[in-house]
Coordinates of all heavy atoms in Angstrom, one line a residue:
G1 N 105.9 96.0 108.8 CA 107.3 95.9 108.9 C 107.9 95.9 110.3 O 109.1 95.7 110.4
D2 N 107.0 96.2 111.2 CA 107.6 96.3 112.6 C 106.6 95.5 113.6 O 105.4 95.8 113.7 CB 107.6 97.7 113.0 CG 108.2 98.0 114.4 OD1 108.4 97.1 115.2 OD2 108.5 99.2 114.7
G3 N 107.2 94.5 114.3 CA 106.4 93.7 115.1 C 105.8 94.5 116.3 O 104.8 94.1 116.8
A4 N 106.4 95.6 116.6 CA 105.8 96.5 117.7 C 104.5 97.1 117.3 O 103.9 97.7 118.1 CB 106.8 97.5 118.0
L5 N 104.1 97.0 116.0 CA 102.9 97.6 115.5 C 101.8 96.6 115.4 O 100.7 96.9 114.7 CB 103.1 98.3 114.2 CG 104.1 99.4 114.1 CD1 104.3 99.9 112.7 CD2 103.7 100.6 115.1
D6 N 102.0 95.4 115.9 CA 101.0 94.3 115.8 C 99.6 94.7 116.3 O 98.6 94.2 115.8 CB 101.4 93.0 116.5 CG 102.5 92.3 115.7 OD1 102.7 92.7 114.6 OD2 103.1 91.4 116.3
G7 N 99.5 95.6 117.2 CA 98.3 96.0 117.8 C 97.6 97.2 117.1 O 96.4 97.6 117.6
V8 N 98.2 97.7 116.2 CA 97.6 99.0 115.5 C 96.4 98.5 114.7 O 96.3 97.4 114.1 CB 98.6 99.6 114.6 CG1 98.9 98.9 113.3 CG2 98.2 101.1 114.3
R9 N 95.4 99.4 114.7 CA 94.1 99.1 114.0 C 93.7 100.3 113.2 O 93.5 101.4 113.7 CB 93.0 98.7 115.0 CG 93.2 97.5 115.7 CD 93.2 96.2 114.9 NE 93.4 95.0 115.7 CZ 94.5 94.4 115.9 NH1 95.6 95.0 115.4 NH2 94.6 93.3 116.6
I10 N 93.6 100.2 111.8 CA 93.2 101.2 111.0 C 91.8 100.9 110.4 O 91.5 99.7 110.2 CB 94.2 101.6 109.9 CG1 94.3 100.6 108.9 CG2 95.6 101.9 110.6 CD1 95.0 101.1 107.6
A11 N 91.1 101.9 109.9 CA 89.9 101.7 109.2 C 89.9 102.6 108.0 O 90.5 103.7 108.0 CB 88.7 101.9 110.1
D12 N 89.2 102.2 106.9 CA 89.0 103.1 105.8 C 87.9 104.0 106.0 O 86.7 103.6 106.3 CB 88.7 102.2 104.6 CG 87.9 103.0 103.5 OD1 88.4 104.1 103.1 OD2 86.8 102.5 103.1
Y13 N 88.1 105.4 105.9 CA 87.1 106.4 106.1 C 87.1 107.2 104.8 O 86.7 108.4 104.8 CB 87.5 107.3 107.3 CG 87.1 106.9 108.6 CD1 86.8 105.5 108.9 CD2 87.0 107.7 109.7 CE1 86.5 105.1 110.2 CE2 86.7 107.4 111.0 CZ 86.4 106.1 111.2 OH 86.0 105.7 112.5
G14 N 87.4 106.6 103.7 CA 87.7 107.4 102.4 C 86.6 107.6 101.4 O 86.9 107.9 100.3
T15 N 85.4 107.3 101.7 CA 84.3 107.3 100.7 C 84.1 108.6 100.0 O 84.2 108.8 98.8 CB 83.0 106.8 101.2 OG1 83.1 105.5 101.8 CG2 81.9 106.8 100.1
R16 N 84.0 109.7 100.8 CA 83.6 111.0 100.2 C 84.6 111.7 99.4 O 84.3 112.5 98.6 CB 83.2 111.9 101.4 CG 84.3 112.3 102.4 CD 83.8 113.0 103.6 NE 82.9 112.1 104.3 CZ 81.9 112.5 105.0 NH1 81.6 113.8 105.1 NH2 81.1 111.7 105.7
R17 N 85.9 111.3 99.6 CA 87.0 112.0 98.8 C 87.8 111.0 98.1 O 88.9 111.3 97.7 CB 87.8 112.8 99.8 CG 87.1 114.0 100.4 CD 88.0 114.7 101.4 NE 87.3 115.7 102.1 CZ 87.7 116.3 103.2 NH1 88.8 116.0 103.8 NH2 86.9 117.2 103.9
R18 N 87.2 109.9 97.7 CA 87.9 108.9 96.9 C 88.2 109.4 95.5 O 87.5 110.2 94.9 CB 87.2 107.6 96.9 CG 85.8 107.7 96.2 CD 85.0 106.5 96.5 NE 83.7 106.5 95.8 CZ 82.6 105.7 96.1 NH1 82.7 104.8 97.1 NH2 81.5 105.8 95.4
F19 N 89.3 108.8 94.9 CA 89.5 109.2 93.5 C 88.5 108.6 92.5 O 88.0 109.3 91.7 CB 90.9 108.5 93.1 CG 91.3 108.9 91.8 CD1 92.0 110.1 91.5 CD2 91.2 108.1 90.6 CE1 92.4 110.5 90.2 CE2 91.6 108.5 89.4 CZ 92.2 109.6 89.2
S20 N 88.0 107.4 92.9 CA 86.9 106.8 92.0 C 86.4 105.6 92.8 O 87.0 105.1 93.7 CB 87.4 106.4 90.7 OG 88.2 105.2 90.7
R21 N 85.2 105.3 92.5 CA 84.6 104.1 93.1 C 85.4 102.8 92.9 O 85.6 102.0 93.9 CB 83.2 103.9 92.6 CG 82.4 102.6 93.1 CD 81.0 102.6 92.9 NE 80.6 102.9 91.4 CZ 80.4 101.9 90.6 NH1 80.5 100.7 90.9 NH2 80.1 102.3 89.3
H22 N 85.9 102.6 91.7 CA 86.7 101.3 91.4 C 88.0 101.4 92.2 O 88.5 100.4 92.7 CB 86.8 101.2 89.9 CG 85.5 101.1 89.2 ND1 84.7 99.9 89.4 CD2 84.9 101.8 88.2 CE1 83.7 100.1 88.6 NE2 83.7 101.2 87.9
W23 N 88.6 102.6 92.2 CA 89.9 102.6 92.9 C 89.7 102.4 94.4 O 90.5 101.7 95.1 CB 90.6 104.0 92.7 CG 91.9 104.1 93.5 CD1 92.2 105.0 94.5 CD2 93.1 103.4 93.3 NE1 93.4 104.9 94.9 CE2 94.0 103.9 94.2 CE3 93.4 102.3 92.4 CZ2 95.3 103.4 94.3 CZ3 94.7 101.8 92.5 CH2 95.6 102.4 93.4
H24 N 88.6 102.9 94.9 CA 88.3 102.7 96.4 C 88.2 101.2 96.6 O 88.8 100.7 97.7 CB 86.9 103.4 96.7 CG 86.6 103.4 98.2 ND1 85.3 103.8 98.6 CD2 87.2 102.9 99.3 CE1 85.3 103.7 99.9 NE2 86.4 103.2 100.3
E25 N 87.5 100.4 95.8 CA 87.4 99.0 96.1 C 88.7 98.3 95.9 O 89.0 97.4 96.7 CB 86.3 98.4 95.1 CG 86.0 96.9 95.3 CD 85.0 96.4 94.5 OE1 84.7 96.9 93.4 OE2 84.3 95.4 94.9
E26 N 89.5 98.7 94.9 CA 90.8 98.0 94.8 C 91.7 98.3 96.1 O 92.3 97.3 96.6 CB 91.6 98.6 93.6 CG 92.9 98.0 93.4 CD 93.6 98.4 92.1 OE1 92.9 98.8 91.2 OE2 94.9 98.3 92.1
V27 N 91.6 99.5 96.6 CA 92.4 99.8 97.8 C 92.0 98.9 98.9 O 92.7 98.3 99.7 CB 92.3 101.3 98.2 CG1 92.9 101.6 99.5 CG2 93.1 102.1 97.1
L28 N 90.7 98.9 99.1 CA 90.1 98.1 100.3 C 90.5 96.6 100.1 O 90.8 96.0 101.2 CB 88.6 98.3 100.3 CG 88.0 99.3 101.2 CD1 86.5 99.3 101.1 CD2 88.3 99.0 102.6
L29 N 90.4 96.1 99.0 CA 90.7 94.7 98.9 C 92.1 94.3 99.1 O 92.5 93.4 99.7 CB 90.2 94.2 97.4 CG 88.8 94.1 97.2 CD1 88.4 93.7 95.8 CD2 88.1 93.1 98.1
Q30 N 93.0 95.3 98.6 CA 94.4 95.1 98.9 C 94.7 95.2 100.4 O 95.5 94.5 101.0 CB 95.3 96.1 98.1 CG 96.7 96.0 98.2 CD 97.2 94.6 97.7 OE1 96.9 94.3 96.6 NE2 97.9 93.9 98.5
L31 N 94.1 96.2 101.1 CA 94.3 96.3 102.5 C 93.8 95.1 103.2 O 94.5 94.5 104.2 CB 93.5 97.5 103.0 CG 94.1 98.9 102.6 CD1 93.0 100.0 103.0 CD2 95.5 99.2 103.1
K32 N 92.6 94.5 102.8 CA 92.1 93.4 103.5 C 93.1 92.2 103.3 O 93.3 91.4 104.2 CB 90.7 93.0 102.9 CG 90.1 91.8 103.5 CD 88.7 91.5 102.9 CE 88.1 90.3 103.6 NZ 86.9 89.9 102.9

């Protein structure tokens, strides 16, 4: 929502504490 954030870079580090394997994949695909 903010053009000033165009350079921000995040990564998913959530394997070990994920709610479930299927939810993890859904989150990743939505982020992608």
Side-chain angles (χ1 to χ4, degrees):
D2 186 346
L5 300 176
D6 285 349
V8 73
R9 297 289 181 269
I10 71 165
D12 155 52
Y13 277 19
T15 301
R16 67 191 59 214
R17 295 176 185 165
R18 65 194 182 193
F19 185 80
S20 71
R21 175 164 55 93
H22 296 296
W23 178 245
H24 187 184
E25 184 173 27
E26 179 176 337
V27 167
L28 263 179
L29 291 175
Q30 186 60 53
L31 292 172
K32 182 183 180 186

